[in-house]
């Protein structure tokens, strides 16, 4: 936005210089005509102006041109002052050419003067005939045989156009060109004119500017319509889809058309993926709630039943019966305690990022020491992007599962190695393993075949949550005997994968 006005000012300065150069070129053309008329009036024979002025000065004057950014602005030209009387020959030629000067001024609006070799005005469209302009830089250059154009400040008059941001209103182009007779300067043609201002140029181009403005307005209208189709409407669809998701809708938003803005399409796709993730999370929570309700019902029913029997018939019961019902209440409370602790562990596992770096061999050796009753063999080494605490929880869950199903004294083989940039750990035992029907549900919360031995069915679910929290995977693999579980962990930290 800052570049727009700055570039506009830069373009304005270039245009002002172009106006100055245009004025200089017009004055140079008029001067050339007047030089030819002077030569004809004076009867000067020989080469024409183009062939006689072959010096570098003419080439410079012809092609260099004035530049507002490069050339200095000289002070206001001094008034003509008394000087030597005009030479007779140039004075006679000037009198003959005076009507030509006046006719040219009526059309070009330039001030025209003819000077003799001493710098005295012999013909002028002003009132300075007979006075001297010697001493002006441009006049002295022409008297030396070099044409010269300069910029000078001009005297302001009441009808002048205000300067505004245009600099040309306060300037005047002065040009002096020698009329040569061979190598000798016979006279000097001097012209001056104020360049057109930007305001004057614009005023003369109002129809064209209006047409351009209308074209720009049409382009803006077309761009507005296109932006409505490519940006505004797709964004409205995205906002509508986001509001539906916020209101609880599980319907996947419709994809945007192919012509939609890429960013809007990416946002819509992200909202669609978020909807799927939220629906998966909602399904997971509903399933978990249903399992929690089912798992809590059995111990609660046992506790309630035993408490009611004790309250109603405790006085008539034998000591052994009262102890049995009290033990039933204690067992139910113990199971509820295990379930609550397991749910807390599962919640922590779902929320954990499990960041860090751990040696899988050292983690397996530590878990083997804690798993009393199991005979563990470990081989291989690899490091994975998982915290030591999270890896310890995963291995303890697997060892506890083996102990619950295979029993004390079972053999466990832990193999660690690298696999396609991932750290791989395989934990295999020699127990009964999983049946095909149970294998598909092995990592579901609350699924267990050892419920009567106190199993909660949360150990493998906690292990899965921790592994997937690092961007890894855990799964059952086929084995000839027992259960074999493979864990793949990233060697570098990865974004956590949501549950559900």
């Amino acid at each position: 936005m800052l570049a727009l006005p700055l570039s506009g000012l830069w373009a304005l300065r270039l245009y002002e210089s172009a106006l100055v150069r245009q004025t200089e070129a017009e004055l140079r053309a008029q001067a050339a005509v007047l030089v030819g008329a002077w030569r004809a009036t004076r009867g000067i024979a020989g080469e024409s102006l183009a062939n006689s002025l072959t010096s570098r000065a003419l080439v410079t004057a012809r092609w260099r041109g004035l530049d507002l950014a490069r050339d200095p602005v000289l002070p206001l030209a001094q008034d003509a002052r008394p000087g030597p009387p005009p030479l007779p020959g140039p004075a006679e030629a000037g009198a003959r050419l005076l009507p030509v000067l006046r006719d040219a001024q009526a059309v070009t609006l330039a001030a025209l003067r003819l000077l003799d070799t001493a710098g005295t005005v012999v013909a002028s469209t002003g009132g300075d005939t007979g006075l001297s302009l010697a001493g002006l830089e441009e006049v002295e250059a022409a008297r030396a045989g070099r044409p010269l154009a300069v910029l000078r400040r001009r005297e302001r008059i009441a009808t002048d156009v205000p300067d505004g941001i245009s600099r040309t209103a306060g300037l005047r182009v002065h040009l002096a060109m020698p009329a040569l007779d061979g190598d000798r300067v016979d006279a000097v043609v001097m012209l001056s004119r104020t360049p057109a201002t930007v305001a004057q140029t614009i005023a003369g181009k109002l129809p064209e500017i209006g047409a351009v403005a209308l074209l720009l307005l049409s382009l803006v209208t077309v761009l507005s319509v296109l932006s409505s189709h490519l940006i505004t409407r797709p964004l409205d669809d995205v906002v509508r889809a986001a509001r539906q998701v916020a209101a609880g809708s599980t319907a996947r938003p419709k994809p945007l058309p192919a012509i939609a803005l890429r960013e809007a399409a990416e946002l819509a796709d992200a909202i669609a993926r978020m909807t799927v993730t939220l629906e998966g999370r909602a399904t997971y929570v509903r399933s978990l709630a249903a399992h929690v309700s089912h798992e809590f019902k059995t111990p609660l029913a046992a506790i309630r039943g035993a408490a009611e029997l004790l309250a109603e018939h405790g006085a008539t019961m034998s000591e052994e019966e009262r102890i049995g019902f009290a033990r039933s209440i204690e067992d139910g409370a113990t199971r509820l305690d295990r379930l609550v602790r397991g749910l807390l562990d599962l919640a922590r596992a779902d929320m954990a990022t499990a960041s860090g770096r751990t040696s899988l061999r050292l983690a397996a050796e530590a878990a083997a020491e804690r798993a009393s009753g199991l005979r563990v063999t470990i081989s291989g080494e690899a490091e994975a992007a998982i915290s030591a605490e999270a890896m310890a929880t995963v291995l303890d869950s697997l060892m506890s599962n083996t102990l619950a199903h295979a029993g004390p004294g079972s053999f466990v083989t832990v193999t660690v190695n690298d696999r396609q940039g991932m750290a791989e750990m395989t934990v295999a035992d020699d127990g009964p393993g999983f049946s095909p029907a149970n294998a598909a549900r092995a990592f579901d919360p609350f699924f267990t075949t050892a419920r009567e031995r106190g199993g909660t069915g949360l150990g493998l679910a906690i292990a899965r949550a921790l592994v997937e929290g690092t961007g890894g995977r855990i799964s059952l693999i086929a084995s000839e005997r027992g259960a074999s579980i493979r864990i793949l962990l990233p060697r570098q930290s990865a974004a956590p994968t949501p549950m559900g």
Side-chain angles (χ1 to χ4, degrees):
M1 294 180 65
L2 182 61
L4 288 176
L6 291 179
S7 60
L9 290 174
W10 176 75
L12 179 62
R13 292 295 181 255
L14 289 180
Y15 187 57
E16 287 179 330
S17 291
L19 292 176
V20 169
R21 283 192 292 272
Q22 179 183 358
T23 301
E24 180 192 0
E26 293 172 356
L27 292 180
R28 192 181 300 117
Q30 296 172 44
V33 172
L34 291 177
V35 166
W38 177 271
R39 288 164 57 87
T41 301
R42 292 276 289 167
I44 298 175
E47 296 179 334
S48 64
L49 176 67
N51 293 326
S52 61
L53 295 180
T54 56
S55 65
R56 181 173 299 178
L58 176 62
V59 175
T60 301
R62 180 180 298 170
W63 297 113
R64 179 175 178 269
L66 294 172
D67 192 327
L68 284 174
R70 182 183 62 224
D71 294 306
V73 177
L74 302 180
L76 180 70
Q78 62 185 12
D79 294 333
R81 59 188 183 278
L87 299 175
E92 181 182 353
R96 293 180 181 179
L97 290 176
L98 182 58
V100 177
L101 299 184
R102 290 174 177 171
D103 290 342
Q105 184 195 37
V107 176
T108 64
L109 303 179
L112 300 95
R113 298 180 179 89
L114 298 176
L115 288 70
D116 62 14
T117 54
T120 302
V121 180
V122 296
S124 172
T125 56
D128 53 358
T129 302
L131 299 178
S132 176
L133 292 175
L136 293 178
E137 181 178 344
E138 57 272 28
V139 172
E140 295 304 312
R143 290 177 64 191
R146 294 182 293 104
L148 180 64
V150 297
L151 286 171
R152 288 189 178 275
R153 299 193 182 280
R154 62 178 291 241
E155 185 177 1
R156 311 309 302 277
I157 59 177
T159 57
D160 279 346
V161 178
D163 285 352
I165 60 174
S166 177
R167 297 176 294 174
T168 55
L171 302 178
R172 195 169 180 88
V173 178
H174 289 249
L175 173 69
M177 182 177 291
L180 301 178
D181 182 4
D183 293 332
R184 183 182 63 84
V185 176
D186 189 66
V188 173
V189 176
M190 184 176 178
L191 303 92
S192 65
R193 198 181 78 188
T194 300
T197 64
V198 175
Q200 292 170 336
T201 305
I202 292 176
K205 297 292 183 180
L206 287 179
E208 292 82 355
I209 294 175
V212 172
L214 182 61
L215 176 61
L216 291 177
L217 182 61
S218 302
L219 289 176
V220 169
T221 303
V222 172
L223 290 176
S224 299
V225 174
L226 287 177
S227 66
S228 175
H229 283 281
L230 299 178
I231 301 176
T232 307
R233 290 186 182 179
L235 286 179
D236 288 341
D237 294 340
V238 171
V239 171
R240 192 180 304 109
R243 288 174 177 170
Q244 291 174 353
V245 172
S249 174
T250 59
R252 186 184 180 95
K254 295 181 180 179
L256 296 180
I259 61 172
L261 193 67
R262 177 174 58 85
E263 289 79 2
E266 291 177 354
L267 181 57
D269 184 61
I271 291 178
R273 293 197 303 270
M274 180 183 67
T275 302
V276 173
T277 301
L278 291 176
E279 174 59 19
R281 174 64 68 173
T283 301
Y284 173 73
V285 171
R286 287 193 296 267
S287 175
L288 184 62
H291 283 102
V292 168
S293 174
H294 179 269
E295 290 295 326
F296 273 52
K297 280 181 180 179
T298 300
L300 284 175
I303 291 173
R304 183 180 298 111
E308 289 176 356
L309 288 174
L310 286 174
E312 294 176 2
H313 307 287
T316 62
M317 289 182 182
S318 64
E319 184 68 20
E320 183 178 350
E321 289 175 333
R322 285 195 296 271
I323 293 174
F325 283 117
R327 186 176 293 111
S328 178
I329 293 174
E330 183 182 1
D331 291 342
T334 300
R335 176 156 182 82
L336 287 175
D337 179 67
R338 286 199 300 267
L339 288 172
V340 170
R341 284 189 282 107
L343 286 173
L344 289 175
D345 291 338
L346 181 60
R348 293 192 189 99
D350 280 342
M351 298 300 296
T353 59
S355 61
R357 194 163 187 82
T358 303
S359 167
L360 297 185
R361 183 181 183 90
L362 295 179
E365 291 174 351
E369 293 179 2
R370 293 189 298 270
S372 58
L374 295 178
R375 289 175 285 184
V376 182
T377 303
I378 303 170
S379 63
E381 167 66 318
E383 288 190 352
I386 185 173
S387 67
E389 181 182 356
M391 195 65 221
T393 303
V394 171
L395 290 173
D396 288 346
S397 298
L398 298 183
M399 298 296 179
S400 298
N401 184 73
T402 299
L403 191 61
H405 291 84
S410 300
F411 286 93
V412 177
T413 302
V414 179
T415 305
V416 180
N417 53 50
D418 289 328
R419 179 185 177 188
Q420 298 178 352
M422 301 282 285
E424 181 185 48
M425 171 182 281
T426 303
V427 181
D429 61 46
D430 59 350
F434 291 88
S435 66
N438 292 337
R441 303 175 57 194
F443 296 97
D444 291 347
F446 301 107
F447 174 77
T448 179
T449 57
R451 196 176 307 276
E452 67 282 357
R453 297 191 295 274
T456 61
L458 294 174
L460 292 183
I462 292 172
R464 182 183 70 170
L466 288 172
V467 170
E468 292 183 349
T470 68
R473 300 189 300 275
I474 183 170
S475 60
L476 283 172
I477 58 176
S479 60
E480 295 181 359
R481 182 181 178 184
S484 184
I485 296 177
R486 175 187 293 153
I487 302 172
L488 289 176
L489 295 168
R491 298 182 61 83
Q492 303 294 332
S493 297
T497 302
M499 282 288 295

